[in-house]
Amino acid sequence: MEVSGLILIGVFFALLLINLPISVCIGVATLATMLFSIDFMPAVTTIAQRMVGGLNSFALLAIPFFVLSGLLMGKGGVARRLIECAMALIGMLPGGLALVNVLSCTLFGGISGSAVAATSAIGSFMIPEMEKRGYDRNFSSAVTATAATTGMIIPPSNILIIYAIASGGVSISALFVAGYLPGVLVASFLMLVCSVYALSRGFPTEDRLPVKLVAEKVLAALPSLLLIAIVIGGIVGGIFTATEASAIAVLYSLFLSVALYKEVKVKELPDILLKAAGITAIVMFLIATSSAMSWILSYENVPQTISDALLVLSENPLIILLIINIVLIVVGAFMDMTPAVLIFTPIFLPVAESLGMSPIHFGIMMVLNLSIGLCSPPVGAVLFVSCSVAKTSIERMIKPMLPLYCAMFIALMLVTYIPAISEFLPKLFGLM
């Protein structure tokens, strides 16, 4: 087991260092580990079977639909309407523009299911606007990057679907509902940091808009916000499954973008479909190779070994959960969320369950934890997108990111040690 584990880890990081795609690193490392035990053809056949088996799930059909829905929303004028709505509602508060940035990223991330899309769509407008009002460009970029990650927790979220599959069948509906309070908690902590930042520098607040104009802005954004109500309301009400909800989300997004807002032309749809297919292919290949790696880890009894080691290290559940969080934060800084969830869920979920933690609670904790990695160097995709939009560098963003990181970490600790934050809504709706 020790030699196999060293081969797996060694080959994986060696390939990662030469900048190969992470899916290739995972697949080749898994094959190398198998070849240590059996001949070439049986090894290749076994891995192929495990990759196909990892994709043989009805729930995975939701991913291409939610990806397509997010792309349609991103191109269909949703971001601008959400920003205007947020500005009308909270722009007059201390740090108003920064608060609008956080709220817009949270709403758009939740609607599109993509932190990268939220960073690009919201950041391209809000970062220049904040700079005009006196905000430091690097701080504005940091706010956008951290706030965009809340879309990974607030449904519809593809990563929650992937966790549901990796955990062996946790209810996607329960996970979707469970993500709301933690997502709002993270956004609230980020807003608090923004308000303190603005007050300490004496930034002026935005003018309060007339009630009639506020109502107009809210009504303009309401059709976009209804997507969340339709998807979650239908799932909780038992009208359709999460997979069926994803198809309905596409139809609704198509209606908004093409018919109602008229910002997506019919001739643009083939390009959007092609882009959605490309993103889906990347995600599915990652899931396939990660499923094979998860199987070899289980075959080599790695989860049980790590579980035993953690329980020997300490009998205090608080300490063990802190260790798991620290490990996942480090992992999130170097690895994309999809393979991280698929590889580490089978390792850490049994440990969490042995401590009395529910799979729903652990899933939200894990996704929130890895979301921090999305805006952390050296691999954080959202961090790079935010730097590109703001035309700045990661080095300049680190200092203004620190208080925002602290806010996210405090929220993570609260979610970790207070199960009700994740479990209250699922229990309220009878989903767990």
Side-chain angles (χ1 to χ4, degrees), residues 51-372:
M51 289 176 68
V52 172
L55 296 176
N56 186 23
S57 171
F58 178 72
L60 284 177
L61 284 174
I63 292 177
F65 286 120
F66 279 131
V67 167
L68 179 55
S69 172
L71 290 175
L72 287 168
M73 285 282 190
K75 201 169 178 63
V78 172
R80 175 171 54 81
R81 289 171 174 82
L82 291 177
I83 290 171
E84 291 175 352
C85 175
M87 184 74 77
L89 291 173
I90 61 173
M92 76 296 298
L93 299 176
L97 274 182
L99 301 185
V100 169
N101 195 344
V102 174
L103 182 58
S104 300
C105 284
T106 301
L107 292 174
F108 189 80
I111 290 170
S112 67
S114 171
V116 172
T119 304
S120 178
I122 304 298
S124 59
F125 179 84
M126 288 304 305
I127 292 172
E129 284 298 311
M130 289 176 69
E131 194 174 6
K132 287 178 187 176
R133 301 294 204 284
Y135 287 85
D136 178 69
R137 179 189 298 184
N138 299 307
F139 176 78
S140 304
S141 181
V143 170
T144 305
T146 50
T149 62
T150 55
M152 298 293 95
I153 315 164
I154 297 176
S157 169
N158 288 335
I159 200 66
L160 290 177
I161 297 171
I162 292 169
Y163 169 78
I165 293 165
S167 62
V170 172
S171 168
I172 297 175
S173 302
L175 283 169
F176 274 12
V177 174
Y180 276 108
L181 289 183
V184 170
L185 181 68
V186 174
S188 299
F189 274 68
L190 293 176
M191 285 182 171
L192 179 61
V193 172
C194 292
S195 293
V196 171
Y197 176 88
L199 287 170
S200 66
R201 285 160 176 76
F203 289 142
T205 57
E206 301 299 308
D207 294 332
R208 186 182 296 273
L209 298 178
V211 174
K212 183 180 178 181
L213 188 55
V214 172
E216 288 177 1
K217 298 297 184 184
V218 172
L219 286 174
L222 193 59
S224 302
L225 296 173
L226 275 176
L227 175 65
I228 299 175
I230 291 171
V231 170
I232 300 303
I235 291 173
V236 171
I239 300 171
F240 40 70
T241 66
T243 307
E244 293 163 347
S246 66
I248 291 169
V250 170
L251 293 175
Y252 187 72
S253 303
L254 191 64
F255 166 74
L256 283 185
S257 304
V258 178
L260 185 62
Y261 295 156
K262 298 180 180 178
E263 297 201 18
V264 173
K265 307 299 181 186
V266 174
K267 65 181 180 181
E268 295 177 304
L269 291 178
D271 288 337
I272 294 174
L273 288 167
L274 187 62
K275 187 174 181 180
I279 294 172
T280 301
I282 293 169
V283 173
M284 290 301 182
F285 189 56
L286 264 174
I287 293 172
T289 54
S290 299
S291 297
M293 179 179 273
S294 297
W295 178 82
I296 195 67
L297 287 170
S298 178
Y299 180 79
E300 295 291 344
N301 211 28
V302 172
Q304 186 60 45
T305 302
I306 293 176
S307 176
D308 292 342
L310 283 173
L311 294 174
V312 167
L313 188 64
S314 174
E315 294 182 358
N316 189 333
L318 303 181
I319 300 298
I320 295 174
L321 289 176
L322 181 62
I323 293 171
I324 291 174
N325 272 310
I326 291 171
V327 171
L328 288 175
I329 285 175
V330 174
V331 167
F334 290 92
M335 187 180 290
D336 187 70
M337 288 185 78
T338 298
V341 167
L342 288 164
I343 292 168
F344 288 93
T345 296
I347 293 175
F348 288 135
L349 180 57
V351 180
E353 289 183 313
S354 70
L355 299 174
M357 180 181 271
S358 72
I360 300 292
H361 181 193
F362 176 77
I364 298 300
M365 182 197 85
M366 185 179 201
V367 171
L368 173 54
N369 189 309
L370 294 173
S371 295
I372 299 175

